[in-house]
Every structure is written in C-alpha cells, then in structure tokens.
Amino acid sequence: MAARIAFQGEPGSYSHQACADARPDYEPLPCPTFEDAMEAVRSGAAELGMIAVENSTYGRVQDVYHLLPDSGLHIIDETFVRVHVNLLGLPGTKISDIKSARAMSVLLGQARGFIREHGISTVNWSDNAAAARSVKEEGNPAIGAFASELAGEIFGLDVLARHIEDHKLNTTRFLIMAREPNYERRADKMVTAFMFRVRNIPAALYKAMGGFATNGVNMTKLESYMVDGVFTATQFYADIEGHPEDANVRLALDELRYFTEMVEILGVYPADPRRT
C-alpha cells in the first residue's frame, strides 16, 4: 500500500492539489480539519501532512500557528500552489446559466471582478471541493461552484470559466510535516522555522531580534499571536534563512534564548525557489 499524506479538505481541494504536485507517489488522505490532518500523522495513519499556512492575497491561515507548537510534528519541506479559481458547472451548462455559485468565503473574495461582471450571487460553503460535489449531487444547472480544475475532474463538472482570480499571482504556501525531524542539509539554501516566547522584560522582542541582525541572519517571517487568552502578543513564529549548524545562525539562536522563556525548533528544510 502506498504511503499516505494527510490534508485538510475534501478530494479536489487546493490542499489535495498540493499533495498531488509535491508528493505524487503518496496517497492523499482527506481530513475534515487541520487538527485531524495532524492527528493522522501522529497516529501513523499517514506518514506526512500537507498543511496550508498562508496565502499571498489573504495572509496567514489563522488556526495553524496556534496548532504548530503542540502538534508534536516537524516541518520537513514546503511547497507552493498557484490558486487558479475556476467556475464549475454541470456538463452542458454555460456561464449565462449560472445564477448562484458556491465556495469558501476566502475564494469568493479572490474572484470579485468575475462575479460582479456576470451578476452571479454567491453562497459561502465549508470547502471549495465540497461545493463542487454539492453541485454535482443536486443537479441544478443554475448553480455552480468556484473550485480547482481537479475538483471538476473528480466530480464530473465542466470548467465554464478558467483562471478567473483577480490577482494573477495568487499563491498558497504549504508546510509538509512528519513525525520525525530531518535536520540534514539537503540544499544550498535552507530554512529554519521556530517558535519562541519572550521574557517579561522591557524591549524583550527588540533585544531578542538583535542577534539576528548583528550576525547577518535574514529573517523572512515573523508572526505574533496571543496565548492563554491574554491580550499580549508574547509568542512568535519565525522563519530564518540558514541551518542551525551555521555559525551565524547558532550565535543568533543562542542570543535569542537569553531573552526568551522558550525556543522550539519546528523544522529545518530546503527553501522552495518559489518563496522568492
């Protein structure tokens, strides 16, 4: 039996597309939630997890950064998917037949121009691929779905309009996670991802970040969020260029630990060329 890669969503979702593109030799395992996808990896039901973390148009996926520290999993790779929005309908229908279309609110927001131009009413749906499935099941030619071409193939729908997103560089970044870390230097350009929590002292974040500047380490991402229901952003997720064994990275992390309560390496992985 083929190894499995778990993802959040239904067959035909953009996360499914990421699995097919990045790990074509793995069997995709759909899961209702991000927690379920991570649990599938922890339990051994899947070897890898494909987790969406941010979109170039709509920013970060809010739930994920709260789940990463306690997931017990490790980031071993990243991949990117160009999010092409397509209008799907029953076989034989035309764009003019579609009066209402379904998709997740985030995807609907990426095709506002097309929706306005064609006077289509929209309905929020739990999942884009699920919206496509519902169109097939209900069999109403006046109802369409915005989803991937893969969803159209899976559910036997026609692509009535292709690549209708407002922003032509719209891209979603995914992290590939596993039960065991892989700290091998697998490429010339590596990324180290980590969480940290600053100490309760004045200018703690400024001091914690100083080591990266003085040691010439490029920080490509810094995300803050609240923990324990407190309105203070004390916990942070960061990506830096380099490997923990690099001298400048090691010095920067040592300085970071001096000004923090906690530092946890979440993964070390090759930088995907598409991140730049």
Side-chain angles (χ1 to χ4, degrees):
M1 188 175 80
R4 289 178 168 181
I5 181 168
F7 66 94
Q8 183 276 325
E10 295 205 14
S13 67
Y14 292 100
S15 294
H16 183 186
Q17 184 70 60
C19 295
D21 292 347
R23 292 295 188 273
D25 52 335
Y26 280 68
E27 177 187 346
L29 176 64
C31 299
T33 67
F34 289 114
E35 293 96 325
D36 292 329
M38 292 179 180
E39 176 58 30
V41 181
R42 281 194 298 266
S43 69
E47 282 64 42
L48 299 176
M50 181 69 73
I51 307 298
V53 289
E54 61 186 328
N55 176 267
S56 61
T57 302
Y58 279 86
R60 71 183 183 184
V61 179
Q62 297 290 341
D63 293 344
V64 171
Y65 289 101
H66 290 274
L67 297 173
L68 288 177
D70 300 322
S71 70
L73 304 179
H74 305 271
I75 304 167
I76 63 165
D77 210 345
E78 67 177 351
T79 191
F80 294 77
V81 168
R82 275 285 289 110
V83 179
H84 291 303
V85 184
N86 309 281
L87 175 62
L88 308 180
L90 293 172
T93 57
K94 304 182 297 294
I95 295 176
S96 58
D97 297 327
I98 303 299
K99 308 305 178 186
S100 174
R102 303 163 173 175
M104 295 177 69
S105 59
V106 169
L107 201 70
L108 293 173
Q110 296 172 27
R112 288 192 179 100
F114 179 90
I115 292 167
R116 184 169 52 250
E117 177 185 353
H118 293 278
I120 297 173
S121 65
T122 60
V123 180
N124 286 344
W125 218 253
S126 60
D127 181 88
N128 302 312
R133 175 170 52 80
S134 73
V135 169
K136 180 66 173 181
E137 290 174 347
E138 293 181 24
N140 186 340
I143 298 176
F146 294 110
S148 67
E149 292 188 55
L150 178 60
E153 294 172 8
I154 290 174
F155 298 112
L157 300 175
D158 285 353
V159 178
L160 308 184
R162 183 175 276 105
H163 299 183
I164 57 175
E165 61 273 11
D166 296 326
H167 301 285
K168 297 307 178 185
L169 296 179
N170 188 23
T171 303
T172 297
R173 177 178 174 236
F174 294 83
L175 299 177
I176 300 176
M177 307 190 74
R179 288 185 294 278
E180 300 296 329
N182 184 349
Y183 295 148
E184 293 181 8
R185 196 183 297 271
R186 290 165 279 153
D188 292 336
K189 188 174 182 180
M190 299 291 290
V191 176
T192 298
F194 56 92
M195 305 288 302
F196 66 94
R197 188 176 300 173
V198 295
R199 293 165 55 192
N200 187 23
I201 58 176
L205 181 59
Y206 173 80
K207 294 173 181 177
M209 295 293 94
F212 296 97
T214 57
N215 288 286
V217 177
N218 186 28
M219 181 170 287
T220 58
K221 176 167 290 294
L222 181 64
E223 296 278 359
S224 65
Y225 55 93
M226 297 177 292
V227 292
D228 300 327
V230 178
F231 285 98
T232 306
T234 57
Q235 188 149 300
F236 298 84
Y237 170 94
D239 286 343
I240 58 173
E241 293 181 352
H243 190 282
E245 294 177 354
D246 296 338
N248 62 335
V249 173
R250 186 173 64 253
L251 289 171
L253 289 174
D254 286 345
E255 190 165 338
L256 174 67
R257 291 185 178 97
Y258 183 79
F259 293 107
T260 57
E261 296 177 350
M262 174 274 289
V263 177
E264 180 181 352
I265 302 295
L266 297 179
V268 180
Y269 54 93
D272 190 299
R274 291 168 290 186
R275 71 166 26 231
T276 57

